Amino acid sequence: GAGVSQTPSNKVTEKGKYVELRCDPISGHTALYWYRQSLGQGPEFLIYFQGTGAADDSGLPNDRFFAVRPEGSVSTLKIQRTERGDSAVYLCASSLDREETQYFGPGTRLLVL
Amino acid sequence: SQKIEQNSEALNIQEGKTATLTCNYTNYSPAYLQWYRQDPGRGPVFLLLIRENEKEKRKERLKVTFDTTLKQSLFHITASQPADSATYLCAQSNDYKLSFGAGTTVTVRA
C-alpha cells in the first residue's frame, strides 16, 4: 500500500513569507507526527496528533509554527514569517497508534532565502 | 535532559565484514531503543526495536543489544554489503516521542 507522502518535496521561499507543508499519512493510522531535521543531525520532534487533536505540541519552536489535522487524516504544518533558521527538512510520520512503529515520509526540504 | 549520542565518525568497512555502531544515552533508561536507516534525500526507515528488558534482538543480518548498565545499545550489521551503505539513526522513546541521535554514516566498500 501507499506510504506516507509529503508535498511539496522542495520549497524555496523568502524570509518573512508564509508556507504550508502537507502530509498524507498511511490510511488508517490514527497517530501522526512532525519532525524537523537539520543537516548532519537526527530528526527533532515537533508535534504529535492523535486523531484530530494535537496531543503534544511541545516541540514547536515558537508561535510562528502551527499544525492542523482537521479530519484526522491529512495534516498541514504552517510556518508564518519564515526565518532563515527555519531551513531544514520537515519530516512527517504516522503510526497505527501511539507506541507503534512510526513510518516516515520522504520529507519536505524547506529553504528560506 | 536525556541525550542520545552516536559515534560521530563515519564508518568505512570492507564488504563482508561486520559493522558495529554505538548508541549511548545519558540519563534514565528509555523504554525502547529503536534503530532506523536513512538514505540521502529520504526519510528514516524503521529497522529494529529493543525494549528495556531485552538484551538482544535479531533481524536477518542485523543485531541490536541493549545494556542498561553501560547505558548503551550496539547495532551490528554482519556480512555487510555495499547496499548497506547509509546513515543509521538511534532513537530512544518512552512512549510516542522519538529522540534521535545524530546518526552514523556507514560506507561499505566492495
Side-chain angles (χ1 to χ4, degrees):
Chain A
V4 178
S5 62
Q6 293 186 244
T7 54
S9 53
N10 293 280
K11 176 72 178 177
V12 181
T13 191
E14 292 179 344
K15 180 175 178 297
K17 300 288 188 184
Y18 167 82
V19 296
E20 288 190 352
L21 312 179
R22 176 187 167 109
C23 172
D24 272 278
I26 294 172
S27 178
H29 281 194
T30 62
L32 184 146
Y33 318 80
W34 284 97
Y35 292 82
R36 179 167 73 172
Q37 186 173 26
S38 300
L39 197 62
Q41 300 299 315
E44 290 180 306
F45 171 81
L46 295 177
I47 187 169
Y48 155 60
F49 286 91
Q50 184 62 42
T52 60
D56 182 351
D57 65 357
S58 62
L60 294 178
N62 51 59
D63 61 6
R64 294 187 297 106
F65 289 73
F66 189 70
V68 296
R69 194 186 185 199
E71 297 178 358
S73 179
V74 169
S75 175
T76 305
L77 179 65
K78 308 179 181 195
I79 310 174
Q80 297 178 320
R81 304 183 305 278
T82 52
E83 299 178 355
R84 293 194 180 90
D86 299 335
S87 298
V89 176
Y90 289 82
L91 293 162
C92 176
S94 71
S95 63
L96 202 56
D97 201 347
R98 59 190 283 164
E99 295 193 50
E100 297 289 333
T101 300
Q102 295 184 24
Y103 297 87
F104 283 81
T108 293
R109 280 145 199 81
L110 175 67
L111 178 60
V112 182
L113 299 176
Chain B
S1 62
Q2 180 83 299
K3 283 189 179 179
I4 300 295
E5 297 171 348
Q6 296 185 247
N7 35 335
S8 56
E9 291 183 14
L11 191 61
N12 292 285
I13 61 169
Q14 185 70 39
E15 182 177 10
K17 300 292 186 185
T18 296
T20 298
L21 284 63
T22 305
C23 175
N24 295 295
Y25 57 92
T26 55
N27 295 326
Y28 55 85
S29 184
Y32 320 102
L33 279 170
Q34 304 188 35
W35 286 87
Y36 286 77
R37 169 184 172 139
Q38 188 171 27
D39 291 283
R42 303 284 187 100
V45 174
F46 172 78
L47 296 175
L48 279 169
L49 177 152
I50 187 165
R51 299 175 197 276
E52 185 182 9
N53 60 354
E54 296 175 321
K55 294 269 192 232
E56 183 180 298
K57 213 62 164 306
R58 290 176 186 261
K59 178 183 173 183
E60 297 173 352
R61 294 183 295 108
L62 308 179
K63 184 177 87 170
V64 173
T65 62
F66 193 165
D67 189 326
T68 55
T69 302
L70 293 178
K71 296 188 177 182
Q72 182 179 82
S73 174
L74 296 179
F75 177 81
H76 306 271
I77 308 171
T78 59
S80 60
Q81 304 168 0
D84 295 327
S85 298
T87 295
Y88 292 85
L89 298 162
C90 172
Q92 68 97 19
S93 64
N94 288 311
D95 194 347
Y96 52 84
K97 186 187 299 186
L98 295 175
S99 297
F100 286 88
T104 300
T105 299
V106 174
T107 302
V108 181
R109 302 186 309 275

